[in-house]
Amino acid sequence: MLGNFSYHNPTKLYFGEDSLNYLKDELKKYGENVLLVYGGGSIKKNGLYDEITAILKECGKNVAEVPGVMPNPTSDKLNEGVEIARKNKSDFILAVGGGSVCDYSKAVSVSVHCNDDPWEKYFIRFEEPDCKILPVGCVLTMAGTGSEMNGGSVITNHKCKLKIGHVFGEEVMPRFSILNPRYTMTLPKYQMCAGIFDIMSHICEQYFSGEDDNTSDYISEGLMRGLIHSSRIAVKDPKNYEARSNIMWTATWALNTLVSKGKTEDWMVHMLGQAVGAYTDATHGMTLAAVSLPYYRHIMQYGLKKFARFAVEVWGVSPTGKTDEQIANEGLAAMESWMKEIELVMTISELGASDDMIEGIADATTILKGGYKVLSRDEVIKILKESM
Ligand code: NZQ
Ligand code: ZN
């Protein structure tokens, strides 16, 4: 049965090849002092930086910049951005990049007027903001995280070896996001595929929990089928606009707060993947790929009906004459061959994890209770060893 919920997502989206045309109108709604946040240089190479700065100039904005936001943005980088925003009296943040840039911008937005240490307050104590929050707008260049339409912000602290996400409320979600699939065309294939698996994982995390008959699961199955279809096209032909645009739109729907409504959620793959990320600084989507199958094979027996449904509805496995266990196993085998087909990294050792890290990664793994089995620390270690 669907639980009770309220639903409101305030992010306005502009989607498609002409979507940047709407930036000017959006910028008019916000203050003069813009903080332009971007990553390690891809937007300078592909020309987007020049286009955006020209629009900002045309709008008469005073622009301060935070360049160099790294994949898996760090707490030190967060402190640096907060200082720049304070010094320049920034009143609006424009994030141009992937999930890292967008997540980072949200973290800055709740920290500029906060007297506390942001890492401690938001990522260790999980407190909600009690200060003025700067509005954030996003021009997305990579499909995967859903950060463009959610309140999530994931920050890594290398000193404590922790990578932690805080899901903020509506007031922190981007006010608008510009989604032009063309911008994702310059992504290296490795990042494109990591993003595709991140999308798949977000849907699975919300799907593999609960046994109710609810609308969200039917939406999720449709999203997964579409994603698998488009990913197969995009891997062979990365310039295929139709496939890339479908992937981008699926990424937004996969984690824009809709499909989780009224149901329980798992998120253990992300907890394991984030802990691996804290130790290796590996690409987010690849950390998820490397732990997913050992985790799902471990918990399958506890959620057998759902895993069998997944096999039939998502992977087209024929159920005739088979037990639920056989069907479920065939579904995970189909998922495995798709993951290999789209060239995902299938082990954490390939991502830089070594045997001596396993205990530490297990300690850095938050154990959540929404999935089919609440893991013990020993089970976490077993899954990590099987992911090596
Ligand atoms: O830094 P630049 O030079 O821009 O290069 C980036 C980066 O190296 C590159 N890139 C992005 N767009 C490009 C491009 N290169 C060429 N052309 C383009 N158009 O791709 C690399 C990865 O970018 P990043 O932003 O790190 O990737 P992603 O979007 O996957 O974001 C990952 C971060 O988001 C967090 C992850 O944990 C990770 O820290 N997540 C955020 C979530 C949320 N807000 O809800 C949920 C996710 O589960 C995830 O945890
Ligand atoms: Zn993710």
Side-chain angles (χ1 to χ4, degrees):
M1 194 184 78
L2 272 179
N4 300 330
F5 61 86
S6 67
Y7 180 66
H8 176 230
N9 189 314
T11 305
K12 181 162 185 175
L13 298 179
Y14 297 95
F15 191 95
E17 291 188 271
D18 300 330
S19 49
L20 196 64
N21 294 344
Y22 298 93
L23 180 60
K24 215 188 292 174
D25 286 342
E26 283 296 334
L27 288 173
K28 283 182 196 152
K29 299 177 190 168
Y30 302 100
E32 295 302 298
N33 298 327
V34 173
L35 188 70
L36 175 62
V37 178
Y38 55 95
S42 69
I43 67 162
K44 289 204 167 161
K45 280 193 215 120
N46 63 22
L48 189 54
Y49 174 85
D50 291 340
E51 278 187 73
I52 303 258
T53 48
I55 295 169
L56 286 164
K57 198 168 169 206
E58 231 180 283
C59 295
K61 302 288 183 182
N62 307 315
V63 180
E65 296 191 10
V66 181
V69 175
M70 62 291 279
N72 309 320
T74 63
S75 49
D76 287 345
K77 185 71 185 176
L78 168 59
N79 294 335
E80 181 194 317
V82 169
E83 283 313 306
I84 296 172
R86 284 180 183 158
K87 201 167 131 221
N88 291 281
K89 301 193 166 31
S90 302
D91 38 33
F92 176 73
I93 303 177
L94 185 61
V96 185
S100 293
V101 169
C102 193
D103 278 20
Y104 173 85
S105 298
K106 291 178 220 170
V108 172
S109 81
V110 294
S111 305
V112 174
H113 296 283
C114 168
N115 297 324
D116 222 326
D117 176 79
W119 168 257
E120 291 290 330
K121 181 179 171 71
Y122 299 122
F123 300 94
I124 296 293
R125 299 198 303 272
F126 284 101
E127 289 171 15
E128 294 311 320
D130 44 17
C131 59
K132 186 175 151 192
I133 298 166
L134 298 188
V136 173
C138 167
V139 179
L140 194 68
T141 64
M142 151 135 193
T145 64
S147 187
E148 65 275 14
M149 204 183 185
N150 70 37
S153 174
V154 185
I155 298 294
T156 298
N157 184 320
H158 287 303
K159 275 181 240 104
C160 322
K161 285 206 176 345
L162 288 172
K163 179 176 181 184
I164 297 180
H166 185 133
V167 182
F168 291 101
E170 270 176 42
E171 64 288 354
V172 183
M173 292 184 192
R175 299 296 171 93
F176 65 87
S177 284
I178 290 175
L179 311 181
N180 182 343
R182 287 263 172 242
Y183 298 156
T184 69
M185 301 273 188
T186 52
L187 263 179
K189 196 172 183 189
Y190 185 85
Q191 293 294 340
M192 178 187 81
C193 296
I196 290 168
F197 193 76
D198 194 20
I199 304 167
M200 184 69 176
S201 180
H202 294 159
I203 306 171
C204 288
E205 299 273 32
Q206 296 163 96
Y207 182 79
F208 287 121
S209 179
E211 286 172 2
D212 326 337
D213 178 24
N214 69 57
T215 301
S216 291
D217 288 337
Y218 294 94
I219 298 173
S220 291
E221 285 160 0
L223 289 173
M224 286 190 273
R225 284 203 298 270
L227 178 67
I228 294 160
H229 169 77
S230 298
S231 70
R232 286 184 160 135
I233 298 170
V235 163
K236 288 203 195 81
D237 177 16
K239 299 283 177 213
N240 187 303
Y241 182 83
E242 190 170 47
R244 298 301 289 266
S245 56
N246 283 330
I247 291 168
M248 194 173 209
W249 192 214
T250 309
T252 304
W253 279 104
L255 197 53
N256 74 350
T257 71
L258 182 78
V259 296
S260 63
K261 288 296 162 203
K263 75 182 296 285
T264 54
E265 304 165 64
D266 182 355
W267 292 104
M268 268 320 294
V269 168
H270 271 67
M271 295 304 102
L272 290 157
Q274 279 176 205
V276 171
Y279 273 72
T280 60
D281 206 25
T283 298
H284 172 66
M286 294 304 184
T287 64
L288 307 175
V291 300
S292 280
L293 287 167
Y295 173 67
Y296 287 135
R297 290 196 165 117
H298 183 78
I299 64 158
M300 192 188 87
Q301 57 183 308
Y302 303 97
L304 203 51
K305 288 234 166 309
K306 195 60 162 286
F307 279 93
R309 172 172 167 175
F310 175 68
V312 174
E313 301 299 335
V314 178
W315 298 102
V317 171
S318 161
T320 316
K322 295 173 194 159
T323 63
D324 278 352
E325 193 171 353
Q326 284 169 326
I327 300 166
N329 272 323
E330 279 187 39
L332 290 180
M335 181 161 161
E336 181 170 3
S337 55
W338 169 71
M339 289 170 73
K340 288 179 177 158
E341 188 185 333
I342 65 164
E343 298 166 30
L344 296 171
V345 178
M346 304 296 280
T347 64
I348 59 174
S349 43
E350 286 169 85
L351 297 172
S354 48
D355 291 331
D356 59 338
M357 289 179 187
I358 296 282
E359 295 277 333
I361 296 174
D363 289 338
T365 303
T366 305
I367 295 179
L368 301 175
K369 297 194 167 89
Y372 290 120
K373 169 83 174 69
V374 181
L375 298 182
S376 65
R377 188 172 183 280
D378 285 349
E379 289 176 301
V380 170
I381 289 183
K382 179 174 176 281
I383 291 163
L384 290 170
K385 283 187 176 161
E386 283 168 11
S387 308
M388 283 295 285

